Amino acid sequence: MWENSVLAALFDQTVTVYHPRFQPEFGCTRQVLKGVSYQWSRTSTLDSLGKSRTGRALMGESLGGAGELRVVCKNLAWKEPPAQPGEGEFTLEIGDKVIPGEGPEIKTREEWGKLVPSLTPGLMVLRQITPYQVGKKVLLVEGKGE
């Protein structure tokens, strides 16, 4: 009982995952995932010349933040890319953007370009995806990024 209540408390968040498509024309898939664990933190770093990265972050570069997304595959099934997720399924890909909560639809390239860390608190760009499985069944998928 204790373990279930701890897991329920840890996996009680909602995130929105955006996956862009640029060819033949721009499109963006939006997935709202509920019952996940999402931690994000922002760190400030200086480059080798002692300059802040904040200016470059306005151009879409990360501010040095780090994030972790964990999805337990209890109510959702993970589909390995490039498969398209169906009902009750989800996918994560390198380069996907993740924000906490239920985010807006992204319909244009301009809206995608505005989805940057300096304008979207808690935004993470996936850089690593690790599925954890027992046998052939995926139990947990973890995404890490900046």
Side-chain angles (χ1 to χ4, degrees):
M1 180 69 166
W2 182 80
E3 291 179 45
N4 290 338
S5 63
V6 170
L7 283 177
L10 290 174
F11 291 86
D12 69 343
Q13 296 167 296
T14 299
V15 297
T16 303
V17 179
Y18 296 98
H19 178 73
R21 178 186 73 249
F22 297 99
Q23 297 292 332
E25 58 191 41
F26 178 80
C28 186
T29 304
R30 173 182 172 263
Q31 299 177 85
V32 176
L33 304 178
K34 297 181 179 192
V36 303
S37 173
Y38 184 63
Q39 288 86 39
W40 181 85
S41 63
R42 176 175 284 163
T43 57
S44 179
T45 60
L46 300 176
D47 66 15
S48 60
L49 298 175
K51 295 180 181 176
S52 170
R53 295 173 58 193
T54 305
R56 292 194 314 237
L58 292 173
M59 301 304 292
E61 183 179 315
S62 171
L63 282 173
E68 293 185 5
L69 169 67
R70 291 178 191 88
V71 182
V72 173
C73 300
K74 180 179 177 186
N75 298 322
L76 290 172
W78 182 62
K79 296 288 278 192
E80 187 155 359
Q84 292 298 314
E87 185 69 31
E89 300 174 330
F90 74 100
T91 188
L92 297 175
E93 296 187 50
I94 303 298
D96 284 357
K97 293 181 180 181
V98 180
I99 62 170
E102 197 164 329
E105 295 278 345
I106 301 294
K107 296 180 190 252
T108 67
R109 176 83 187 225
E110 291 75 27
E111 290 173 335
W112 174 257
K114 291 178 183 175
L115 195 60
V116 295
S118 59
L119 300 175
T120 312
L123 179 121
M124 170 181 68
V125 179
L126 290 176
R127 300 289 183 222
Q128 177 183 346
I129 299 163
T130 308
Y132 295 92
Q133 59 189 57
V134 174
K136 293 184 179 183
K137 182 169 174 56
V138 175
L139 301 176
L140 174 81
V141 179
E142 182 178 73
K144 293 182 180 182
E146 55 185 9

